[in-house]
Amino acid sequence: MARVYNFSAGPSMLPEAVLKEAAAEMLDYQGTGMSVMEMSHRSKAFDNIIKEAEADLRDLMNIPDNYKVLFLQGGASQQFAAVPMNLMKNGVADYIITGQWAKKAYEEAKKYGKANAVASSADKTFSYIPDCSDLPIDEDADYVYICHNNTIYGTTYHKLPNTKGKILVADMSSDILSQPVNVEDYGMIYFGVQKNVGPAGVVVAIIREDLIRDDVMPFTPTMLKYKTQADNDSLYNTPPCYGIYICGKVFKWVKSLGGLEAMKERNEKKAAILYDFLDSSELFKGTVVKEDRSLMNVPFVTGDADLDAKFVKEATAAGFVNLKGHRTVGGMRASIYNAMPMEGVEKLVEFMKKFEEENK
Ligand SMILES: Cc1ncc(COP(=O)(O)O)c(C=O)c1O
C-alpha cells in the first residue's frame, strides 16, 4: 500500500515511525495484553504514558516549573470560550484579528466580557500581520490574544506584539513544535494537536500557575475551569487516552530528531524549497507578504480558478493530496507540518514545475 503526500491543514500527516510503533502496540501495549484504547485511565500503564508525555513536552519546550501543562478535550475552539471565562478578571481583553480563528476567538470572548479588536488584517484578506508595536492596549485588559500561526491564510508572527505589560495568550495549534518558543513570553499557550502533534481530540494548554484561579466566571462549567484540570493532573474525568498516547510518541519523535532547534532548521529548509519556487515561477504565486510567511501553511494561486482546479485534480492523481485552498481563500494551500518529509516538498515542486511547463 502506498502512502500519499498529504498536504492537509489538519488533521494532517503523522510521522510514519510513530504510526508503525502504534500499530505494533495495538493489540498488546507493553505486555498489558490490551491496547491503550482499552485500558483504564487510572491504570499504572496509562499513568506512565501521560506523565512521560508531559515530561517530554516540558523538556522539548523548556517549560518552566511555574507553568502547568493540561491535556484537555473540546479542540482548540473550546478554548475560545474557556480563555475568557478563566482569564478575564476585569472582564476586558484585547484581540488581534489575523484570520478566521482569531476572529472566532474574539467573537466568542464578546459573550463573556468586553473584547476589543485592537488590530486587524481583514482589509487585505489577512495576507499580512499588522504592525503590533504600539497598539491601543486597554488599561484594564486581562490579556492580549493572538493566533500565532494563521492556518488558513499562511501568515505567522515573526515578532510578538508589544502588549505593554499585559499577558499574552496564544493559539499555536498550527505551529506548535515547529520551532523553539520562549514560554515565559506568554501567560498561556494552547494548541489543538491534530496538525503537528497527534490525532484530533486532544488540546494541550500551557498556563502560568498564577493565572489558574478559583474565582473564574461563576457560570464556568466545571470541565472548562483550568483549576479543575490542574488540581486533577488532567484526570478529572476520562481524558482522550489514545490521543495523549500518540502525542507522547510524537514528542519522543521530535526529541529524536534533535528537538525544536533542529525542527526549525528542517522546517526553514523545507519551506524555502516551496517559497523559492513560488518566487521564481511565472504561473504560481504565493498570496502572503514575504516577511509574514508561515513555515507551516503555504497558500498559492495561479490567478485562474479553472487552472487551480486542474492543478488540484492532477496533483491528487499524482499522489499529492489535500492541496485545495480553504474555501474562503480559493487556490491552493500546502500544509507542510513537521511530519511532511523534505522529499514530499521536493517532489511537489517538481510536479509544479512540470505543470507550469505544460500549461504555459
Ligand atoms: C489556528 C487554529 N485554531 C483553532 C482551530 C480549531 O481547532 P479545533 O477544530 O480543534 O477546534 C484550528 C483548526 O483548524 C486552527 O488552525
Side-chain angles (χ1 to χ4, degrees):
M1 193 235 16
R3 278 176 62 77
V4 291
Y5 290 115
N6 179 4
F7 292 90
S8 168
S12 331
M13 273 184 107
L14 285 169
E16 211 169 287
V18 166
L19 295 177
K20 283 184 175 153
E21 233 181 80
E25 290 174 344
M26 181 62 79
L27 296 183
D28 177 10
Y29 176 75
Q30 295 191 354
T32 56
M34 61 180 89
S35 107
V36 173
M37 272 181 263
E38 301 168 297
M39 67 179 51
S40 163
H41 57 297
R42 312 267 174 217
S43 64
K44 185 72 199 143
F46 186 72
D47 191 52
N48 286 341
I49 288 171
I50 193 167
K51 288 216 170 94
E52 228 173 284
E54 178 176 340
D56 284 331
L57 181 62
R58 283 187 176 277
D59 203 19
L60 270 175
M61 291 185 67
N62 248 323
I63 301 174
D65 288 346
N66 64 325
Y67 283 73
K68 287 272 187 209
V69 173
L70 306 178
F71 292 92
L72 309 170
Q73 304 192 55
S77 302
Q78 181 85 286
Q79 296 306 308
F80 299 168
V83 165
M85 282 181 190
N86 282 270
L87 302 189
M88 272 185 176
K89 250 199 300 198
N90 299 328
V92 183
D94 289 344
Y95 280 71
I96 301 175
I97 315 296
T98 51
Q100 238 188 59
W101 298 115
K103 186 157 185 290
K104 280 191 173 168
Y106 162 66
E107 295 294 342
E108 189 72 17
K110 283 203 280 190
K111 294 184 183 172
Y112 305 107
K114 183 178 164 217
N116 307 307
V118 290
S120 167
S121 49
D123 60 336
K124 291 185 182 157
T125 329
F126 301 115
S127 58
Y128 70 103
I129 298 286
D131 177 3
C132 297
S133 56
D134 185 19
L135 299 172
I137 303 291
D138 195 310
E139 261 182 35
D140 292 328
D142 293 303
Y143 58 88
V144 175
Y145 181 101
I146 59 169
C147 179
H148 193 265
N149 184 78
N150 297 284
T151 326
I152 297 174
Y153 302 95
T155 59
T156 201
Y157 286 83
H158 292 290
K159 185 168 185 284
L160 291 180
N162 174 4
T163 65
K164 302 185 176 171
K166 303 297 182 191
I167 289 156
L168 186 60
V169 173
D171 173 357
M172 290 196 187
S173 296
S174 52
D175 65 340
I176 197 71
L177 304 187
S178 65
Q179 59 184 358
V181 174
N182 182 20
V183 175
E184 282 179 323
D185 288 341
Y186 302 85
M188 173 175 175
I189 293 168
Y190 73 88
F191 53 95
V193 305
Q194 68 271 25
K195 298 161 199 304
N196 232 352
V197 189
V202 183
V203 59
V204 178
I206 301 166
I207 314 174
R208 216 173 66 199
E209 262 168 10
D210 60 291
L211 301 174
I212 301 177
R213 302 158 23 232
D214 219 5
D215 58 334
V216 297
M217 292 186 184
F219 46 77
T220 306
T222 309
M223 278 286 290
L224 293 193
K225 194 169 154 181
Y226 297 140
K227 193 162 189 320
T228 307
Q229 304 289 355
D231 286 351
N232 290 282
D233 296 325
S234 305
L235 294 171
Y236 171 73
N237 71 328
T238 320
C241 300
Y242 197 78
I244 293 169
Y245 154 78
I246 299 288
C247 291
K249 286 199 181 296
V250 173
F251 297 152
K252 286 200 190 298
W253 176 78
V254 174
K255 281 176 95 171
S256 77
L257 293 179
L260 301 190
E261 281 294 347
M263 291 320 291
K264 179 175 187 234
E265 205 177 301
R266 208 173 106 112
N267 288 326
E268 280 174 348
K269 270 194 203 147
K270 211 162 60 179
I273 297 170
L274 191 46
Y275 284 126
D276 286 351
F277 171 66
L278 290 174
D279 290 342
S280 67
S281 168
E282 282 174 24
L283 180 63
F284 298 102
K285 193 162 92 12
T287 57
V288 167
V289 303
K290 276 190 188 173
E291 56 274 23
D292 297 328
R293 283 171 165 175
S294 164
L295 287 180
M296 300 279 97
N297 311 98
V298 184
F300 56 95
V301 293
T302 64
D304 172 342
D306 291 339
L307 203 53
D308 287 349
K310 183 173 183 230
F311 174 78
V312 170
K313 191 166 169 228
E314 291 183 13
T316 306
F320 306 102
V321 309
N322 289 320
L323 278 165
K324 193 169 185 299
H326 189 269
R327 59 190 181 280
T328 59
V329 185
M332 283 71 71
R333 171 180 48 172
S335 294
I336 49 174
Y337 298 116
N338 286 351
M340 171 60 68
M342 195 76 70
E343 176 197 85
V345 178
E346 285 164 355
K347 289 194 170 159
L348 172 65
V349 167
E350 270 171 41
F351 180 82
M352 289 167 77
K353 282 182 182 162
K354 189 167 140 275
F355 185 87
E356 181 165 343
E357 274 303 308
E358 292 167 359
N359 292 276
K360 265 192 202 164

